[in-house]
Amino acid sequence: MRLRTRAGLGAIATGIATTLLTATASAAPAAGASGVGDPYYPYAGNGGYDVAHYDIRLTYQPATDQLAGTTTILAKTTQDLSSFDLDFGLHVNSVLVNNSPATFHSDPNENGELVVVPAKPLAKNQTITVVVNYADTPSKVVIDGYTAWKKTPDGALAVDEPQNSQWWYPANDHPTDKATFDVSVEVPDNVSALSNGTLVRTTKQRAGWTRWNWRSTQPQATYLTTLEVGAFQVNQSTTPDGKPFVTAYDPATGDSLDAAKASVERTPEIDSFLSTQFGPYPFEAQGGVVSTGLNFALEAQTRPVYSSKFFASGSNTSVIAHENAHQWFGDAVSLGRWSDIWLNEGFASYAEYLWSEHEGEGTPAELAQYVYDSHPADDALWQVLPGDPGVANQFDDAVYDRGALTLQALRTTVGDDAFFTILKTWVAQHKGGDARIDDFIGLAEQVSGKPLHQLFNTWLFTKGKPATGPNGTATVTAQAQPKSFAKIHATHRQLAAEQQY
């Protein structure tokens, strides 16, 4: 997790002031807010418009790390606007708003914020087209002390959370504003350019270069939109139910390459199993990318990205189950605020328990009991609140492990039928949008007919080890370590080691 905390309180105050000014002078166009009001990341996202589609058309030269091109944004205003912000850190050459040149400048109070002033004010509910032309060396761009762009020996990775778009395309960078995407990137012939969704085509418009064209047709959050450039081994096939299945492997993975393939190539099988637990797979394509250029894994929509380190000791389907469970929990249904991270990580971790049972290596009840019994009351696991962990602990072990125990406690309380109905209904109701923890609690109470606020308060919002374990008073034999525990534990430790995903 890379932290955008600079000037946090000031940003909140500024947002409040902007809101008050807009409310008292609603007749006059006003500047869109510089953030959506997320307390963890006050400058994340922007106010005044909703994006419908991004068309990203770039050329990238790995030898020099030069990225250049245009992003076209189709959006609709939500207020009368005199100006609006885009989350972006690269050098901008020009901006057009509805085909007319706009003035622009970097926000002096927050790098990574591009302020756009259209030639004339924009009316509320107006459809707008914004075209940003830019060129820069992303690996040299620092925003809030960090560079999310990862330069590799043969390319680069635009993969990170909660922000990565600012280093390669301008955006309304918050999970509450999803959009569809066309990503078209031209690279030298000796490397590939991978992104989300379906590979529409590759084209050659000049000697020595190939353009890769990707399309995502389902609403997609900006941090889940990724770009991986490198000399990957790319495989294209079709899943048993007819979806495009694209996988790619960094040859530098070396001795772990076969273990990586033995894991990632099982993605359709794992997604098929998860669909029995959570409802139909929510997207149009599947796949995965393995790279040596990062130390974590990210649930990039339709095509998760994995560090090769996850396969250093052999095949690892736990991490495949984890990142693909996010396709339902985190991707199809995104969090409404970054403090709701339990809705992503607790659910993906519980999916590992479900996969373990499917593989005959330990049931969710056994795994949850073993985790509960293995952490004494004074353990740090019980001091972080999964329901609101704070920015510094957003990807703490507690969000994963205590988060998964919370779901087992819910399952124990409401029973299997209600539990899986809750999970499937959650995805069906909120697919393509976002939701909050309180929304989940309300749904769980509605489906089960039981009062559950105390249960969630105990497991998500109260420090200290719960007096009753995740299986209630039931007797669960978990003295012996479940077979899958070591692999799941190692996966979680690595996911949390860099405070990542």
Side-chain angles (χ1 to χ4, degrees):
M1 162 62 68
R2 305 308 178 186
L3 310 182
R4 300 188 65 195
T5 57
R6 188 169 62 83
L9 293 176
I12 295 173
T14 300
I16 294 172
T18 300
T19 301
L20 291 174
L21 286 171
T22 302
T24 56
S26 58
S34 58
V36 299
D38 192 317
Y40 279 21
Y41 305 103
Y43 282 105
N46 306 288
Y49 63 95
D50 286 325
V51 177
H53 183 73
Y54 294 93
D55 185 90
I56 303 167
R57 187 174 179 85
L58 306 171
T59 294
Y60 178 65
Q61 172 53 269
T64 59
D65 197 36
Q66 289 295 303
L67 184 76
T70 62
T71 289
T72 301
I73 301 170
L74 306 181
K76 189 173 185 178
T77 59
T78 58
Q79 68 176 72
D80 294 335
L81 283 173
S82 58
S83 66
F84 60 89
D85 284 14
L86 294 169
D87 298 308
F88 195 50
L90 303 190
H91 174 78
V92 174
N93 298 319
S94 65
V95 179
L96 300 176
V97 177
N98 294 338
N99 296 304
S100 296
T103 59
F104 57 91
H105 63 274
S106 297
D107 186 331
N109 297 314
E110 168 70 7
N111 66 329
E113 287 283 315
L114 179 71
V115 181
V116 177
V117 183
K120 59 182 181 180
L122 304 172
K124 182 179 180 180
N125 294 325
Q126 180 179 354
T127 299
I128 61 173
T129 302
V130 182
V131 181
V132 183
N133 178 270
Y134 51 97
D136 213 333
T137 306
S139 61
K140 295 182 179 180
V141 174
V142 178
I143 299 174
D144 292 340
Y146 178 65
T147 301
W149 184 267
K150 297 162 180 60
K151 184 71 183 76
T152 64
D154 55 6
L157 305 173
V159 180
D160 219 309
E161 185 183 17
Q163 288 95 20
N164 83 67
S165 62
Q166 292 164 289
W167 285 266
W168 67 291
Y169 70 95
N172 192 19
D173 189 17
H174 192 271
T176 53
D177 192 4
K178 294 177 170 181
T180 56
F181 282 80
D182 282 304
V183 176
S184 174
V185 182
E186 184 185 47
V187 293
D189 288 343
N190 64 330
V191 296
S192 305
L194 301 154
S195 192
N196 311 77
T198 301
L199 179 61
V200 178
R201 62 187 175 276
T202 58
T203 57
K204 290 186 65 66
Q205 297 163 310
R206 56 174 170 152
W209 293 76
T210 299
R211 180 168 290 280
W212 296 68
N213 300 275
W214 299 88
R215 172 164 289 175
S216 296
T217 60
Q218 299 298 312
Q220 184 168 285
T222 46
Y223 83 95
L224 299 171
T225 307
T226 61
L227 174 65
E228 301 88 36
V229 176
F232 293 99
Q233 298 177 9
V234 180
N235 302 322
Q236 299 184 57
S237 60
T238 305
T239 65
D241 60 351
K243 293 181 177 64
F245 180 50
V246 180
T247 57
Y249 302 91
D250 184 344
T253 301
D255 292 343
S256 301
L257 182 59
D258 286 342
K261 291 180 178 179
S263 307
V264 178
E265 294 299 321
R266 293 182 68 183
T267 296
E269 174 197 355
I270 292 171
D271 283 342
S272 179
F273 165 73
L274 294 176
S275 70
T276 67
Q277 311 295 296
F278 308 145
Y281 179 77
F283 301 119
E284 72 273 31
Q286 297 181 22
V289 179
V290 176
S291 174
T292 59
L294 73 172
N295 295 318
F296 54 88
L298 178 72
E299 62 271 20
Q301 190 160 306
T302 71
R303 195 155 292 110
V305 184
Y306 307 93
S307 168
S308 59
K309 293 181 179 179
F310 283 100
F311 313 104
S313 61
S315 63
N316 182 352
T317 54
S318 287
V319 72
I320 310 302
H322 182 103
E323 301 305 334
N324 279 276
H326 278 309
Q327 304 304 306
W328 286 263
F329 302 100
D331 295 11
V333 185
S334 294
L335 43 74
R337 291 291 183 268
W338 281 104
S339 57
D340 298 317
I341 191 66
W342 170 72
L343 293 172
N344 291 13
E345 301 302 345
F347 288 60
S349 297
Y350 195 76
E352 294 176 76
Y353 291 6
L354 295 171
W355 177 248
S356 168
E357 182 175 39
H358 180 71
E359 292 284 271
E361 295 187 345
T363 69
E366 292 167 347
L367 284 159
Q369 192 69 45
Y370 189 83
V371 171
Y372 177 83
D373 292 343
S374 298
H375 291 83
D378 60 353
D379 192 278
L381 182 78
W382 310 113
Q383 300 307 306
V384 174
L385 307 180
D388 190 5
V391 173
N393 293 316
Q394 195 172 347
F395 297 99
D396 188 86
D397 284 349
V399 178
Y400 294 84
D401 294 326
R402 186 174 175 179
L405 267 58
T406 302
L407 287 168
Q408 180 60 28
L410 173 64
R411 183 176 178 178
T412 299
T413 301
V414 303
D416 282 6
D417 288 347
F419 177 75
F420 288 104
T421 298
I422 292 165
L423 297 187
K424 292 176 180 177
T425 304
W426 175 254
V427 177
Q429 285 187 351
H430 298 288
K431 178 186 174 184
D434 59 88
R436 307 284 318 267
I437 290 176
D438 281 348
D439 298 322
F440 183 82
I441 296 172
L443 175 65
E445 290 190 325
Q446 177 187 345
V447 171
S448 69
K450 295 176 179 290
L452 298 170
H453 271 75
Q454 186 56 50
L455 180 149
F456 285 107
N457 185 59
T458 298
W459 285 94
L460 293 181
F461 298 104
T462 303
K463 290 185 178 182
K465 185 174 182 176
T468 302
N471 295 300
T473 58
T475 301
V476 176
T477 303
Q479 291 81 11
Q481 185 182 102
K483 291 181 181 179
S484 62
F485 175 79
K487 182 66 71 176
I488 292 173
H489 180 66
T491 294
H492 289 186
R493 295 296 294 176
Q494 187 167 338
L495 287 168
E498 298 267 326
Q499 290 195 327
Q500 304 279 359
Y501 334 130

